Amino acid sequence: MLVSLAGALACAACSTNSPAVASVQKKVQGLLGQPNVTSFLDVRFGDSLYRVQNRFPNGSLETAPYGADTYRINNIEVDGVRYQQVKYEFTTYSGMQLVMAWFTPDSSGKVLEKLVAAVGPPTEQNSAKSSAPADTQAAWQLPHGERVLFDGPKRFVAVVGPGGGPLKQDAAENDTALDTP
């Protein structure tokens, strides 16, 4: 079984134009399960506040409206995506479980493209499929409990981790109440 999986993964790394490769990729996905989001900017869901502070020492500690510890990073660029602000929120027992990020207008397409590449097409979309990313609102409910929100007009993306139930209200309020960070 391991040899078959290793072979399938090796073939999946080949040219994606091949129908055989697409078939292998679907089989590998079936073996590995549905896609999920495990981290954002190298901060994993479940990481401690201490780990995030070490990863981004220039950030600042805050308290969210509902009392959660929050770590804010301003003006960061990663993989061609510019974020004006990124906020990580933490639960008492589950570590980091919510990330909210506000990106620049020119990064809308890259953010949406990375989301679709990572987790597939949205489970909900409030705009036409041919709409520009800056005009698109989309959401994903992932099988491992994560919830991803993308709001192109507000230049906002949020990911609630599998243990982030207590933080969902913060994500909802930030999406509806804030036009800019």
Side-chain angles (χ1 to χ4, degrees):
M1 175 70 177
L2 287 176
V3 174
S4 298
L5 183 59
L9 289 173
C11 285
C14 303
S15 170
T16 57
N17 294 334
S18 164
V21 170
S23 173
V24 168
Q25 287 174 333
K26 283 186 179 185
K27 287 180 183 178
V28 169
Q29 182 176 340
L31 290 171
L32 299 177
Q34 294 295 315
N36 66 330
V37 179
T38 59
S39 65
F40 191 90
L41 301 181
D42 196 32
V43 173
R44 297 183 62 81
F45 288 96
D47 278 353
S48 69
L49 176 59
Y50 176 77
R51 184 192 179 299
V52 178
Q53 286 175 312
N54 282 333
R55 168 82 170 93
F56 299 105
N58 293 331
S60 59
L61 186 60
E62 299 177 347
T63 302
Y66 291 94
D69 287 334
T70 302
Y71 195 69
R72 184 181 75 194
I73 302 157
N74 292 323
N75 301 317
I76 185 170
E77 184 171 344
V78 178
D79 295 332
V81 176
R82 292 183 303 164
Y83 296 97
Q84 295 171 313
Q85 188 176 100
V86 177
K87 289 184 179 182
Y88 295 100
E89 285 194 21
F90 302 81
T91 63
T92 304
Y93 301 107
S94 300
M96 195 281 285
Q97 290 297 321
L98 170 62
V99 61
M100 298 174 289
W102 291 264
F103 46 87
T104 59
D106 60 320
S107 294
S108 294
K110 289 179 185 174
V111 173
L112 185 57
E113 179 182 303
K114 287 178 180 290
L115 286 170
V116 171
V119 295
T123 51
E124 303 168 31
Q125 191 164 340
N126 294 333
S127 55
K129 291 192 185 274
S130 62
S131 292
D135 299 325
T136 299
Q137 293 177 316
W140 293 257
Q141 183 64 52
L142 302 177
H144 300 282
E146 304 94 336
R147 175 103 172 129
V148 181
L149 304 170
F150 175 86
D151 191 327
K154 293 182 181 176
R155 301 182 321 272
F156 176 79
V157 62
V159 183
V160 180
L167 303 176
K168 285 182 180 177
Q169 186 63 35
D170 280 349
E173 282 193 15
N174 276 289
D175 181 40
T176 58
L178 294 178
D179 289 326
T180 59

